[in-house]
Amino acid sequence: MKPARLLLLLSGCALLLAPAVRGCGPGRVVGSRRRPPRKLIPLAYKQFSPNVPEKTLGASGRYEGKIARNSERFKELTPNYNPDIIFKDEENTGADRLMTQRCKDRLNSLAISVMNQWPGVKLRVTEGWDEDGHHSEESLHYEGRAVDITTSDRDRNKYGMLARLAVEAGFDWVYYESKAHIHCSVKSEHSAAAKTGGCFPGRALATLEDGAQTPLWALRPGQRVLAMDGAGRPTYSDFLAFLDKEPRALTSFHVIETREPPRRLALTPTHLLFVAENASAPAARFRPTFASHVRPGHFVLVAVGGGGLQPAEVVGVQDRRDVGAYAPLTRHGTLVVDGVVASCFALVQEQHLAQLAFWPLRLYHSLVGWSGVQGDGVHWYSGLLYRLGRLLLPPDSFHPLGVPRAES
């Protein structure tokens, strides 16, 4: 194994076992000492979090185009009438109240944090959706994915902590941009760039050990689902957790269609699928391939009656939007979704490396299980591995959507 990849694996083990990180996992470790609440550290002037450019996959993702009132995408914006937030709305058009649902959810959460931190003080929004072109080219304000904020008392001594509270509220990128405000932005509701990994629609179906089918959103840890082992044979594998879970996200999916037998699988472009050039290749020789690289004439593996797997020719690839995005993790790192064998992994086109990197998480679940309901968003371990991978692996190891580009 190459040194960088070995280091990635070992770092994953260290992150999982380190006491400072262990608290991010599900539940308190039995016998561990209860620690006091984590102290929040204000952001410094000109600091941003996470420490990557705004329009990269590790932050808020790529710019997708300006939304105008007369455009089809205008329906993606929703007004925010939260009485605990003051909207400056200097244009008197209500534009500052318009934002994506993801931005609205984070902003409402932040409003509660502000009132808890400073009784009598409210969150204030000075800039939201921009329809007049007042921001720089490709600003996320043009998509309703960014807000500029202050406190209602405009006390600039509070702004560093306000930025930290915005990070804690779940904004995907927070920047102490100027002495006058904090800039916050979120991932797109529907782009593949909104995902740190790859996903399937929530209503896509997995097959349980008793033969019943269940939508992905309904999976529970400990259930066994149809999957494929390392030798290309069908098996039932324990479902462990969701690497990403966005129940309300409107997401763009690639739809892979096959014939003989007919199947339709929707998954995000960065997700891995097992593909071969011809039907004669044994199942174990189907190579992991990004969904965006699958073309008509390729062959994928599908489940057939009796629990077997067989090749099926891809006859069409199209795009569609659907609500809900889920990335299940199984013990084998694979699962059958809507009758097609897929990987649990995305972004890096190496199934074996991904399976090794997630070994500590599988071990963790084997030892302590899962003691509660998993929250929405990217799993903490998946997010940490992505950041480590960006540091340790060359850029060409990633899907193009996962490679940072310079800011405009």
Side-chain angles (χ1 to χ4, degrees):
M1 183 182 294
K2 293 182 179 180
R5 293 173 182 176
L6 179 59
L7 182 57
L8 176 62
L9 174 60
L10 295 177
S11 299
C13 297
L15 285 167
L16 189 65
L17 299 175
V21 175
R22 201 162 45 192
C24 298
R28 183 180 171 215
V29 178
V30 176
S32 65
R33 180 177 299 174
R34 186 180 298 275
R35 293 182 294 275
R38 180 167 57 90
K39 182 179 180 180
L40 297 180
I41 301 175
L43 264 65
Y45 179 55
K46 291 298 181 181
Q47 182 181 357
F48 45 86
S49 178
N51 190 28
V52 296
E54 180 180 27
K55 293 192 280 288
T56 61
L57 194 62
S60 293
R62 294 187 177 185
Y63 175 74
E64 296 183 350
K66 187 174 182 179
I67 296 179
R69 287 186 184 268
N70 60 355
S71 68
E72 175 69 18
R73 291 181 59 202
F74 184 69
K75 64 185 180 183
E76 297 173 15
L77 304 182
T78 181
N80 191 331
Y81 295 113
N82 189 335
D84 295 324
I85 303 175
I86 298 171
F87 292 87
K88 185 177 180 182
D89 193 23
E90 57 189 351
E91 300 89 356
N92 292 316
T93 63
D96 287 340
R97 292 184 180 271
L98 293 173
M99 57 196 69
T100 65
Q101 184 64 47
R102 185 181 183 91
C103 187
K104 180 178 178 179
D105 291 343
R106 274 57 177 177
L107 198 67
N108 289 343
S109 178
L110 176 59
I112 295 172
S113 298
V114 168
M115 292 188 296
N116 289 336
Q117 182 74 22
W118 302 293
V121 175
K122 290 186 176 183
L123 178 63
R124 176 172 174 261
V125 175
T126 61
E127 291 285 344
W129 173 58
D130 181 2
E131 59 181 329
D132 299 320
H134 292 157
H135 291 83
S136 61
E137 184 181 1
E138 297 192 359
S139 167
L140 298 186
H141 282 284
Y142 298 133
E143 297 183 64
R145 292 166 53 193
V147 289
D148 294 339
I149 59 173
T150 71
T151 55
S152 59
D153 59 2
R154 307 184 200 182
D155 180 357
R156 296 186 178 187
N157 292 323
K158 294 185 172 77
Y159 290 0
M161 181 57 73
L162 177 63
R164 173 56 61 190
L165 293 177
V167 173
E168 297 296 315
F171 278 96
D172 297 303
W173 198 71
V174 178
Y175 181 28
Y176 195 163
E177 185 174 28
S178 80
K179 295 290 187 179
H181 70 262
I182 305 299
H183 174 84
C184 310
S185 62
V186 297
K187 300 176 188 294
S188 164
E189 294 284 339
H190 57 79
S191 167
K195 314 313 298 174
T196 299
C199 294
F200 307 97
R203 61 182 178 178
L205 298 176
T207 302
L208 300 178
E209 195 168 17
D210 62 3
Q213 292 192 314
T214 183
L216 296 185
W217 64 263
L219 283 174
R220 298 292 180 266
Q223 289 182 310
R224 289 168 60 82
V225 296
L226 185 59
M228 182 178 72
D229 66 16
R233 299 170 301 202
T235 188
Y236 285 93
S237 187
D238 294 331
F239 166 67
L240 302 177
F242 289 108
L243 299 182
D244 199 354
K245 178 184 175 188
E246 298 284 356
R248 292 177 293 181
L250 179 63
T251 306
S252 290
F253 294 98
H254 268 34
V255 181
I256 311 296
E257 297 185 55
T258 70
R259 65 182 177 197
E260 298 179 5
R263 298 285 187 272
R264 287 171 59 91
L265 173 67
L267 69 174
T268 47
T270 61
H271 209 102
L272 292 179
L273 199 60
F274 297 98
V275 175
E277 298 289 341
N278 57 72
S280 62
R285 301 299 294 273
F286 276 59
R287 66 185 185 280
T289 303
F290 292 129
S292 61
H293 294 171
V294 177
R295 299 288 182 267
H298 286 164
F299 288 83
V300 296
L301 290 168
V302 301
V304 293
L309 303 177
Q310 74 175 51
E313 184 180 359
V314 176
V315 296
V317 179
Q318 56 183 298
D319 294 321
R320 86 155 190 247
R321 292 184 183 180
D322 209 334
V323 175
Y326 292 77
L329 175 66
T330 68
R331 194 168 301 280
H332 286 80
T334 64
L335 76 164
V336 174
V337 179
D338 286 336
V340 181
V341 180
S343 170
C344 293
F345 308 119
L347 285 178
V348 177
Q349 197 165 288
E350 294 193 41
Q351 175 75 13
H352 183 63
L353 173 62
Q355 182 73 344
L356 283 175
F358 277 92
W359 172 79
L361 186 61
R362 295 195 301 275
L363 176 63
Y364 182 90
H365 282 288
S366 297
L367 295 176
V368 303
W370 184 263
S371 57
V373 177
Q374 182 177 343
D376 297 345
V378 177
H379 192 286
W380 65 272
Y381 186 78
S382 181
L384 287 171
L385 276 187
Y386 172 74
R387 292 182 178 88
L388 280 172
R390 292 294 313 135
L391 293 173
L392 301 175
L393 299 178
D396 60 4
S397 298
F398 291 83
H399 189 281
L401 285 174
V403 178
R405 65 177 185 175
E407 289 293 278
S408 299

